[in-house]
Amino acid sequence: MSDHTHRLAQASPLTIKGNALELNTASTEQLQQWEQSLAADYDAIKSQKLNLDLTRGKPSTEQLALADALDGILAGNYITTDGVDTRNYGGLDGITEARAIGAQMLKTPIENVMAGGNSSLTLMHQAMSIAHFFGLEGPDSAWSKEGKVKFICPVPGYDRHFSVCQHLGIDMVTVPMTSTGPDMDEVERLVKNDSSIKGMWCVPKYSNPTGVVYSDETVTRIAGLGKIAADNFRVFWDNAYGIHDLSDNPVELASIYDACATAGTENSVLQFASTSKITHAGAGVAFFAASAVNLTGMKKSLSFMTIGPDKVNQLRHARLFAAEGSLLEHMSKHAAIIKPRFASVLAHLEEAFGGNDLGRWESADGGYFISFDARAGLAAEIVKLAGEAGVKLTPAGATFPYGSDPLDSNIRIAPTVPSVEQVDAAMKVFICCVKLASVRQALAVR
Ligand SMILES: Cc1ncc(COP(=O)(O)O)c(C=O)c1O
C-alpha cells in the first residue's frame, strides 16, 4: 500500500521542467507558460506516432509461456489418484486434485470447493443467476420473487462484475473503496436498512483496480454482514488475485471461510478464484467455494447446464503444479516478469506527482492494475489526449457501474502486457497528458 492515498488533499508544488511551482496559486502567466511548454512536449510525442496499450489486464506472452508444459503433460495417463477417468462425462464437483488447488488458493476445506471450467466469471454469473431466479436455498429464497434487487458495488471496481448485475437487471449501489477495503460503515448501514440489498461484490486481495488488500477488520465485518442483512444476502468474494503477489513479504488476507465460521454466517459468502492469470488465461480452471447449503443449491441448477467440467484440463493443471513443486513457486516466476513493469509505472508516477496534487494512486504489491485518480473532471480528457498521442488507456468510467465515474477522475493502468520499455514510453506520454489536462483545467477557471 502506498502513502499516496489522500494526496489530492495536500497542496504541494508541481514540477515542470525543473520549475517547482504551485498549480493552485500560480499566476495566469505562469500557467500559460506551462501550457505552452507541455503542449509542445505533447506535439513532439504525437509526431512519434506511437502505438502503445495500457488497457489489457491479461498475462503477457512470457507469462503464458510459464505454463506451456501443460501441453502434453498427461502423456496418455488420464486417470486421477482416486481412479477417475477424466476423459469421460460426469463429476460436477471437479476432480479431487483440482479441488485441492482451489482449497489452497481460497484457504477453505476441500469439501467446500468445486473445480469448474475455464472461467470464474462464468461461475459468478451462474451463481448470481441461480440466486436470482431459482434461489440457493430453494424457490422461496429466489431474489427475483421479492421485486427490486440491489447489489453493493465498491468503487472503483471490476467492470465485468457490474456487467453481470446489469445483465440480470440488478440495481447497483456504490460504496467507496478505502485503503482497508470497502467503507464498511456505509456497507453495514445499507444492508441493515434495505432488505432489497441481496449481496455485494468483493475483490479482497489486490482489488481490481485499486490494489487494496482488505484488512482483517474488514474481513471480520464482511463475515458479520450475514447477521444483519436479508436471509438470502450473499457476498460474492472474488479472490481472483489471492496468490498474485509481487512482494517477497506479501500481506496476508484473512480467511473469509474462518471468519464466517466464527460468526456463524457460513451461508452468506460465495467464493471464487481461477488459474486464469496463473497458467493459460483462456484455458485455466475456475473454483467455487461455499457452504454445504450453497453448494447444494448451486449444483442443483448447474446439473441442468452441464454433465461436468473439463476434467482433463483440471488434471493437466494438477500435474503441472505437482511437477513444478508448488503453486507459489510458479507465482514467483510471474512476479519476476511483471514486477519491473509495475516498478516503471510507480517510478514515473512518483517522479511526476509524488510532490504535488495532480494525482493519487495506490501502489499495489500484487494483482494486475494500478489505479490513478486525476483531479476531478479530467479522466476522460486524459484518456482522450493519450489516445490521440498513441497510448491506449481503459476508457474513463470503466471502473464504475454503467461506465460512469461521478468525479470523472479514475483511470486504470494495466502494465502486464507491454514490455518494460513500452511501459516506460507509455508512462511518459501519460504523465505529459495528465499535466497538460491539469494545467488547462486550472487555466480554464481563471
Ligand atoms: C477481479 C477479477 N475477477 C475475475 C476475472 C476473470 O476471471 P476468469 O478468467 O476466471 O473468468 C478478472 C479478470 O480480469 C478479474 O480482474
Side-chain angles (χ1 to χ4, degrees), residues 14-15 111 235 268 313 360 373 384-385 439:
L14 165 71
T15 305
E111 299 75 40
V235 173
S268 69
N313 192 35
R360 62 178 171 146
D373 283 317
K384 181 168 160 273
L385 283 170
V439 169

Side-chain angles (χ1 to χ4, degrees), residues 57 118-121 124 158 161 203 208 238 240-241 274 276-277:
N118 73 324
S119 163
S120 61
L121 186 68
M124 289 180 248
Y158 176 40
H161 285 165
V203 183
N208 176 351
D238 176 7
Y241 301 108
S274 78
S276 290
K277 285 165 180 150

Side-chain angles (χ1 to χ4, degrees), residues 91-94 98 114-123 126 273-276 280-288 302 306 308-311 313-314 317:
L92 198 55
D93 289 311
M114 284 176 66
N118 73 324
S119 163
S120 61
L121 186 68
T122 302
L123 285 173
Q126 286 170 327
S274 78
T275 66
S276 290
H280 289 171
V285 179
F287 305 101
F288 173 68
L302 279 184
T306 178
D310 180 346
K311 298 186 297 300
N313 192 35
Q314 293 185 356
H317 278 74

